[in-house]
Structures are given as structure tokens and as C-alpha cells.
Amino acid sequence: MKSIDPYDYWTLKTIKRIMGKNPWISLSSRELGEKLSVSQQSASRIILKLIDKGFLQRKIKDRRQNLSITDAGLDILFYEMNDLASVLEIEKTMEIRGNVISGLGEGRYYISRKSYIIQFQEKLGFIPFLGTLNVKIDPENEGKLRRLRNSTGIHIDGFVTDDRTFGPVKAFLGSIEGLQCAAILPERSVYSDVLEIISPFYLREKLKLSDGASISLFVNI
Amino acid sequence: MKSIDPYDYWTLKTIKRIMGKNPWISLSSRELGEKLSVSQQSASRIILKLIDKGFLQRKIKDRRQNLSITDAGLDILFYEMNDLASVLEIEKTMEIRGNVISGLGEGRYYISRKSYIIQFQEKLGFIPFLGTLNVKIDPENEGKLRRLRNSTGIHIDGFVTDDRTFGPVKAFLGSIEGLQCAAILPERSVYSDVLEIISPFYLREKLKLSDGASISLFVNI
DNA sequence: ATTACTAAGACCCGAGTAG
DNA sequence: TCTACTCGGGTCTTAGTAA
């Protein structure tokens, strides 16, 4: 993540406050200007800058604009949240709820790469069972997932083999029903609502989880 | 809390990150300038401004400055933390640990005022036992206490009687050992490490708490 | 080394106004 | 009304430099 402009952050936070849960909001530059204590002209300029940077998107209809914050824009806010929490040393265990879904076996392929496995043992303290548990996160936990995506986590180096490149990933230690596990995410933000979980245990069997089973994951951020 | 200047917040966060847990830090304007990506001159100017606003204090020795963030400065950071958490709708229950101490009976006097009691019933949903449980918060939970101080909480109006004025306070619902309670703080920041707890129950007796007893309080922020 | 003043240039803001 | 351009004025930044 490249460094954030404080004013971009500030403006996005203000817009997000106005939006609440709405993905789109009708917001004139005058109204935004009032919230930010700047003129309509400045607000207009600021909006254009944020659109240019990819943090906002806009639809104009009948001379009135509707605004939406992009994923990149939300990243700014959640990144700041994590940054501030870390500066203030507010440690956090989050509960994230979701449902077990069946993966495509890709996860198993990835995590069985030797370079990953060595690092899992060194940095997470366990050798994972050769397969991942795929958890589709409940929509109402989307914010928590975004926080996770914007957290640093435990860095796992990428590597290259003869045929292809395996990117760097990050891991978050946690537990499911008291059993040790870790959530694995690519280091470059991918906006998926599925989390891949690894564990020294075969969670599916040990916890008798079938597809669709509702589970609660605790992760340390 | 009057509105925050984004740059003040940004600078204080940067300084706090450098400080970690140290109350004082030797930090030249050049070093700060690098962290903020501004010149030494600008960093110097920014420091003077923050001192002028009461967010920083400084000792200069042999032409090198030592900086410390004041309580007012920390308030900026914790306020922002709460604001951002509320904008992102990250709900939060905090566990705060401390020890029971004996109060001066003042709490009992305050909360037995009729205007307060009516509001407690209306806004908290219970009529408190006529006395407060005073909890001295563990130093390592100071950050959580600061967060509480900078949260809005449930507003309880102040009022005046013939003899004196009772200020507005704010309440945070929570529980101790599963028993319903609320932490009460004056609305104007007072930097005390003692929390006053009210509850429909006589907590001291019900939980058999003697002075010095270690307790764990869960509060909703 | 420091901190911080001065001065000049860069940048930002908002009034006026067009579309 | 709306958005957003131009441009004059003011603020902020930094190079030079003193202490």
C-alpha cells in the first residue's frame, strides 16, 4: 500500500459516514463542501481528484451526481483503521462467520508447494493438513473481511518454479471451534468473499463439517 | 470535541508510532520531516503549532528536543479511532480489567439524584442500586480507558439544583461476571484511572467483592 | 549537530461565472 | 438548481541561513 494522503482519507471517511450502508448516494458538491467545511468549488475539485485516483466512482444524472466508494477507496479506510489500531496497540481478535463451501482443489495444490510448507512451519508453527477449508463469509461480516485484507498479517514469501510463479501470501492465526488454524490471503488485495483456512487438522472431518455448514472463525489481527 | 484538523491527527499518529510506549522521545525536526515527507522547516513549524494547540509538549536540551504527546493529543487519536470504528460500523465489546477500590461515598450521592435516576431508567433500562462500584483500571488497560473517554456513549443530561450543578455524564452498558451494569463517566474528559460502575444489583455483595478484588468488565462501545 | 526565522515560490481556495 | 472552469488572493512550503 502506497502512502495515503491524509485529506483523501478524511474525505472518504466523511463520505462513508454520509453513505452508511448504501452503496450509492446522491451527494452534491455543495453538501459535501458543508460537511468538510470547504466551498462547493473545493468539494467539486476534491471529488474529481478522488475519482481520478480510483477511490470514488460517479454517475451523473440530470446534473446531479451519485457517488460510490470503490474497493480501493474502502481499502484506504480499513487500512487506516488497522494502522491506527496498531499504533494505539489495540489488539484484536475478530469473530468472522461464514459457511463451508467446497473448493476446486486449488487450495490443496497451492499449499502443498514445499516453499510454502516450510514457511508455514517456521512462521505459523504448524504443518498444515494438505487441503484448505473454504469459507464463504456472511455478507454482514464483509467489513471484517475488508479489515483482514488490509492488515499486514504474517508474511509468507512467494517463489518461482520452472513453470510458474507463486505470489506472496499473508496468514492470520486463529481458531475454529477451539482448533488451531490460519486464514490465508494473497498479499495483493483480491476482493473475494471466500476465505481459505489451513490447519494442522483435517477440519472437515474433525468437526464433521459438510458443505453449507455454518462456522465461526476467530482470527488474530 | 471540536473538529479535528486532519493534519494534526496525521502528525500525532506518526509521532505516536515512533514513540511506541515511551512517554518521551528524542525526535529532531529533520527526522519527523522524513516520516511525514516534508522538509525539516515544515516539521519544525508543525511541531510548534501542535505545542501551541496543547497536543504536544517539549523539552529542549543542548539544541535537541524531546517530545511527549499530551492527554489532549492522545484524545485526538482515540477519538479518531472511535470515529472511524463507528463509520465502518465495527462494533466492539471491550474487556477492561481492574481492581475494586473503596470510593468516598461520593458516587452514591451523585447517582441518587432524582434527575439522574430517571434518566438511568429511561436510557439504560434499569434503576441502579444506590451506590457505585469503583474500579481502578490496570495500567496496561489505559488505552482502552482512553477509548472509552473519547467515545460518545449514552448521554445523560446534567441539571441544576438550588445549591449546585450536576454535569452531564455518559454511560456505557456492559456486564461484570454476567451481571448487567454500566460505566459512568463525566462528559468532559477527566483523566482518572478509576471507573465508576452502576448496576441494578449490589455488585459488591452479589459477587462477594472485597477491596482489591480483581475484576473483568465488559463494556459496549 | 540542532531549531526556526525570512522570503519567495508553489499550491490551494473560493468568488465569479459558464454550460 | 447542478458541476466545474478561470483567476486573483491568500496560505503553505521550503531554500537559505542565523543562532
Side-chain angles (χ1 to χ4, degrees):
Chain A
M1 161 93 51
K2 55 185 183 297
S3 78
I4 296 176
D5 177 333
Y7 273 131
D8 289 351
Y9 157 67
W10 205 259
T11 308
L12 287 168
K13 187 184 73 168
T14 303
I15 294 174
K16 175 67 178 155
R17 176 181 293 123
I18 298 166
M19 290 178 63
K21 287 194 181 298
N22 301 90
W24 286 90
I25 190 100
S26 169
L27 181 67
S28 73
S29 48
R30 173 164 300 284
E31 289 161 346
L32 179 59
E34 273 166 26
K35 298 287 183 183
L36 292 172
S37 303
V38 297
S39 66
Q40 170 269 321
Q41 292 86 341
S42 289
S44 172
R45 201 158 10 84
I46 289 169
I47 289 170
L48 289 174
K49 187 186 69 178
L50 290 175
I51 291 171
D52 184 54
K53 289 188 178 182
F55 299 147
L56 278 184
Q57 52 186 145
R58 178 165 72 161
K59 295 177 191 160
I60 301 192
K61 245 187 193 163
D62 299 330
R63 294 194 161 162
R64 188 160 175 95
Q65 64 194 352
N66 280 27
L67 295 177
S68 175
I69 302 180
T70 63
D71 282 323
L74 288 173
D75 279 347
I76 299 277
L77 295 175
F78 282 92
Y79 179 89
E80 187 61 22
M81 176 78 199
N82 288 324
D83 189 44
L84 189 49
S86 110
V87 166
L88 298 179
E89 300 179 51
I90 294 171
E91 91 309 327
K92 185 79 179 90
T93 297
M94 286 195 300
E95 181 183 7
I96 305 184
R97 300 193 59 84
N99 295 284
V100 173
I101 61 171
S102 53
L104 303 167
E106 276 210 29
R108 174 193 224 106
Y109 172 70
Y110 275 87
I111 68 157
S112 60
R113 298 309 94 193
K114 203 189 247 173
S115 297
Y116 279 149
I117 295 210
I118 291 169
Q119 292 184 76
F120 289 151
Q121 164 135 56
E122 279 176 1
K123 297 175 182 172
L124 306 183
F126 63 80
I127 293 182
F129 168 83
L130 287 185
T132 66
L133 184 72
N134 294 285
V135 181
K136 187 180 172 71
I137 304 306
D138 290 348
E140 58 264 36
N141 281 187
E142 190 198 327
K144 293 181 181 178
L145 189 52
R146 283 189 193 275
R147 247 194 107 178
L148 214 54
R149 271 194 222 111
N150 286 288
S151 288
T152 315
I154 299 164
H155 173 80
I156 309 284
D157 292 319
F159 53 94
V160 289
T161 64
D162 289 345
D163 358 6
R164 50 160 298 177
T165 300
F166 292 83
V169 297
K170 55 188 179 183
F172 297 88
L173 287 169
S175 66
I176 294 181
E177 311 248 345
L179 293 177
Q180 183 184 30
C181 67
I184 305 292
L185 290 87
E187 210 143 76
R188 291 182 59 94
S189 260
V190 172
Y191 300 103
S192 153
D193 62 350
V194 175
L195 263 188
E196 304 220 33
I197 311 297
I198 63 174
S199 168
F201 312 105
Y202 181 23
L203 293 172
R204 241 176 208 279
E205 191 175 271
K206 195 136 183 170
L207 298 174
K208 306 200 192 328
L209 301 170
S210 43
D211 280 1
S214 165
I215 60 151
S216 185
L217 167 72
F218 289 87
V219 284
N220 301 308
I221 201 167
Chain B
M1 162 92 50
K2 55 184 183 301
S3 76
I4 295 176
D5 177 334
Y7 272 132
D8 289 350
Y9 156 68
W10 205 260
T11 307
L12 288 167
K13 188 185 71 168
T14 303
I15 294 174
K16 176 67 177 154
R17 176 182 293 123
I18 298 167
M19 289 178 65
K21 287 192 178 300
N22 302 89
W24 286 91
I25 190 101
S26 170
L27 180 67
S28 73
S29 48
R30 172 163 301 283
E31 289 160 346
L32 179 60
E34 275 165 25
K35 299 285 183 185
L36 293 172
S37 303
V38 296
S39 66
Q40 170 271 320
Q41 291 87 339
S42 288
S44 171
R45 194 165 21 79
I46 290 168
I47 290 170
L48 289 174
K49 186 187 70 178
L50 289 175
I51 291 170
D52 185 55
K53 290 188 176 181
F55 299 146
L56 278 184
Q57 52 187 143
R58 176 165 72 162
K59 296 177 190 160
I60 301 191
K61 246 188 194 160
D62 300 329
R63 293 194 160 164
R64 190 163 174 93
Q65 65 193 353
N66 281 26
L67 294 177
S68 176
I69 301 180
T70 64
D71 281 324
L74 288 174
D75 279 348
I76 299 276
L77 296 176
F78 282 92
Y79 179 89
E80 187 62 21
M81 176 78 199
N82 287 325
D83 189 43
L84 189 48
S86 111
V87 166
L88 299 179
E89 299 179 52
I90 294 170
E91 92 308 327
K92 187 79 179 88
T93 298
M94 285 195 300
E95 180 183 6
I96 304 184
R97 301 193 58 84
N99 295 284
V100 173
I101 60 173
S102 53
L104 303 165
E106 276 210 28
R108 175 194 223 103
Y109 171 70
Y110 276 86
I111 67 156
S112 61
R113 296 311 93 191
K114 201 189 250 176
S115 297
Y116 279 149
I117 295 210
I118 291 169
Q119 293 184 76
F120 289 151
Q121 164 135 55
E122 279 176 1
K123 298 176 183 172
L124 306 183
F126 64 80
I127 293 181
F129 169 84
L130 288 185
T132 64
L133 184 72
N134 295 284
V135 180
K136 188 181 171 70
I137 304 305
D138 291 348
E140 58 264 37
N141 280 187
E142 192 199 326
K144 293 180 180 178
L145 189 52
R146 282 189 195 276
R147 248 194 107 177
L148 215 55
R149 271 195 222 110
N150 285 289
S151 289
T152 316
I154 298 164
H155 173 80
I156 309 283
D157 292 318
F159 54 93
V160 289
T161 65
D162 289 345
D163 358 7
R164 49 159 301 177
T165 300
F166 292 83
V169 298
K170 56 188 177 183
F172 296 89
L173 287 169
S175 65
I176 293 181
E177 311 246 346
L179 293 176
Q180 183 183 31
C181 68
I184 306 291
L185 289 88
E187 210 143 77
R188 290 183 58 93
S189 261
V190 172
Y191 300 103
S192 153
D193 62 351
V194 176
L195 263 189
E196 303 221 35
I197 311 297
I198 63 174
S199 169
F201 311 105
Y202 182 23
L203 293 172
R204 242 175 207 279
E205 192 176 271
K206 195 136 185 172
L207 298 174
K208 305 197 192 329
L209 301 170
S210 44
D211 279 3
S214 167
I215 61 151
S216 185
L217 167 72
F218 289 87
V219 284
N220 301 307
I221 201 166

